[in-house]
Amino acid sequence: MESGNSESVSQENANESTGLSLLDVLDITISDTEKRLNTGTVNLRDSHTVYFIETKIKENTSTAWRPEHLESFSGIWRRYSEFETLKTYLQITYPYIIIPPLPEKRALFPWQITTTDLFHPEFVDRRKAGLENFLLRVASHKVISFNKVFMRFLQQEDIGSDPISAIGYIGKADAKLKSLGALFMLKKPDKRFEEIKNYSNELYSNISNVLKVRAKLVDRIYAIHKLHANYGRVFTQWAPAEKEIGKELDKASHFFHAYASLSECLDEEEQFADQMKEYLFFSDSLRSVCKAQEMFQYEVECSDENLSAKSMQRENLLQGKKSFMSRWFASVDTDEVRDLKLQQIEAQLRDAETRCKQSSEDAKY
């Protein structure tokens, strides 16, 4: 995986120097969707949606810097879980870059008439637009757009083993963070990232609260409109039975029906909610960058502590200081045993120095 990444990084750096992105040479669209049954099942409910990604080389594109193995035209079906795998891989490979968010997997902050059916045409169309925006945003980035895994994702069925390895890595990282729990505290946190983390956490919390309040508010507005619609039907049926006030009742029914119209109100609310959710998902992506930085910083601090401990052991051994166990049992090390311990500690010290340098290099991003 490391050799593949080094090749990808060199290719990305070369393309970055041109100041162009993959979107400058390639048109990317999601043109169609299709509902398919999961493999090995006959239950119609056990199915998923796939999205057809079309790519086409733009006209008058120079072949001098065109990425290798990039086909002039291609089309491939992808399901949502494959987009999730790609995003996770990009987050691990580029922990210092804010990876664009994916659209919601299931309807978040729904209200009374919001569809929760994953296969409803309206929900599928909205997710399709969100997935296309994800691809376009990644393809417009001058670094990650030329990642080989991303380009294979767009045009080839097999995207390789790197994303699978990334999933395993992030699982271990998450488990490590969970094991630390509430006791996880950095001794020297980076103030810049602390400010960003606090901002992203606050933004995420505030947007979540706004969306929750908005869902409750829209439910109440919907109830008011529904009540006026019921009044409109009553007045419509009542008007023909009244000769003297029939005309006024009919006017009142038109008023109630006009007020009960939901189409324009609902469209505005859905557009507002989609924009707010996008900010919500971006704030979560920002939190992922801060989380990665904390992991790197924690590795640096652990490496420094280990290096200091090994250096102290070496100094004590050179000065002839006894360990607690040696003093307790009144044992004395011979010169041969002391030399052997010194060699072991020096080997451990070199290993600690190497790890310390590596963790420092990883944390530079």
Side-chain angles (χ1 to χ4, degrees), residues 298-308 352 355-356 359:
Y298 181 73
E299 291 293 338
V300 169
E301 292 184 0
C302 289
S303 299
D304 288 341
E305 289 180 0
N306 184 44
L307 181 60
S308 299
R355 291 184 180 181
C356 190
S359 59

Side-chain angles (χ1 to χ4, degrees), residues 146-162:
F146 292 103
N147 180 274
K148 290 185 178 181
V149 171
F150 175 63
M151 289 191 286
R152 288 201 298 265
F153 181 87
L154 294 175
Q155 296 193 336
Q156 299 178 26
E157 191 70 31
D158 181 19
I159 62 175
S161 60
D162 286 349

Side-chain angles (χ1 to χ4, degrees), residues 3 8 12 14 27 30-31 38 56 99 110 148 157 163 170 172 192 252 273 282 306 315:
S3 60
S8 297
E12 292 152 15
D27 286 323
I30 297 182
S31 58
N38 292 337
K56 182 180 179 181
I99 304 301
K148 290 185 178 181
E157 191 70 31
I170 196 171
K172 293 178 182 178
R192 298 171 302 170
F282 261 113
N306 184 44
E315 289 297 324

Side-chain angles (χ1 to χ4, degrees), residues 14 62 89 101 127 175 222 233 235 239 246 284 301-302 316 337:
S62 173
Y89 166 76
R127 182 193 274 182
Y222 173 73
R233 284 194 295 271
F235 276 69
D284 193 49
E301 292 184 0
C302 289
N316 292 339
V337 173

Side-chain angles (χ1 to χ4, degrees), residues 111 213-223 266 269-270:
W111 55 291
V213 172
R214 170 254 173 199
K216 293 180 180 179
L217 182 61
V218 173
D219 270 333
R220 293 184 179 182
I221 294 175
Y222 173 73
L266 296 184
E269 284 296 331
E270 289 304 316

Side-chain angles (χ1 to χ4, degrees), residues 18-250:
T18 64
L20 298 174
S21 66
L22 186 62
L23 198 60
D24 294 314
V25 67
L26 194 68
D27 286 323
I28 304 172
T29 56
I30 297 182
S31 58
D32 197 9
T33 62
E34 186 176 292
K35 183 179 179 180
R36 294 182 181 178
L37 288 175
N38 292 337
T39 306
T41 183
V42 294
N43 188 354
L44 295 178
R45 294 183 178 181
D46 194 9
S47 54
H48 62 273
T49 304
V50 290
Y51 304 85
F52 190 67
I53 305 173
E54 287 187 359
T55 56
K56 182 180 179 181
I57 297 290
K58 294 183 178 180
E59 297 181 359
N60 302 323
T61 299
S62 173
T63 58
W65 64 276
R66 182 192 298 182
E68 298 179 0
H69 311 299
L70 194 64
E71 300 178 17
S72 298
F73 177 81
S74 72
I76 191 168
W77 292 97
R78 296 288 187 195
R79 58 184 300 181
Y80 185 87
S81 60
E82 292 178 292
F83 282 88
E84 288 183 308
T85 301
L86 173 65
K87 181 176 181 290
T88 301
Y89 166 76
L90 293 176
Q91 284 180 324
I92 296 301
T93 308
Y94 307 97
Y96 49 90
I97 294 177
I98 300 175
I99 304 301
L102 291 171
E104 55 192 346
K105 189 170 186 176
R106 293 176 177 82
L108 299 176
F109 308 102
W111 55 291
Q112 196 163 350
I113 67 170
T114 302
T115 177
T116 56
D117 182 8
L118 300 182
F119 304 105
H120 191 280
E122 181 182 346
F123 180 81
V124 172
D125 287 342
R126 289 170 57 194
R127 182 193 274 182
K128 169 189 164 188
L131 293 175
E132 182 174 296
N133 284 335
F134 168 77
L135 294 178
L136 293 176
R137 284 167 173 163
V138 174
S140 65
H141 198 281
K142 296 177 182 178
V143 177
I144 59 178
S145 63
F146 292 103
N147 180 274
K148 290 185 178 181
V149 171
F150 175 63
M151 289 191 286
R152 288 201 298 265
F153 181 87
L154 294 175
Q155 296 193 336
Q156 299 178 26
E157 191 70 31
D158 181 19
I159 62 175
S161 60
D162 286 349
I164 307 301
S165 301
I167 294 293
Y169 176 85
I170 196 171
K172 293 178 182 178
D174 286 341
K176 190 170 185 178
L177 274 178
K178 289 177 181 178
S179 66
L180 295 172
L183 297 177
F184 177 73
M185 291 292 291
L186 295 175
K187 294 182 178 179
K188 297 180 180 179
D190 192 321
K191 292 183 179 180
R192 298 171 302 170
F193 283 92
E194 283 294 302
E195 292 177 358
I196 295 173
K197 183 180 72 172
N198 293 335
Y199 167 78
S200 59
N201 287 336
E202 186 176 354
L203 180 62
Y204 188 90
S205 176
N206 290 340
I207 294 177
S208 297
N209 292 333
V210 168
L211 287 171
K212 289 177 184 177
V213 172
R214 170 254 173 199
K216 293 180 180 179
L217 182 61
V218 173
D219 270 333
R220 293 184 179 182
I221 294 175
Y222 173 73
I224 294 174
H225 282 263
K226 191 174 181 180
L227 180 63
H228 281 75
N230 292 334
Y231 277 130
R233 284 194 295 271
V234 171
F235 276 69
T236 299
Q237 296 172 3
W238 186 11
E242 296 288 344
K243 294 182 180 180
E244 295 182 0
I245 59 174
K247 187 177 293 185
E248 284 71 17
L249 291 174
D250 189 57

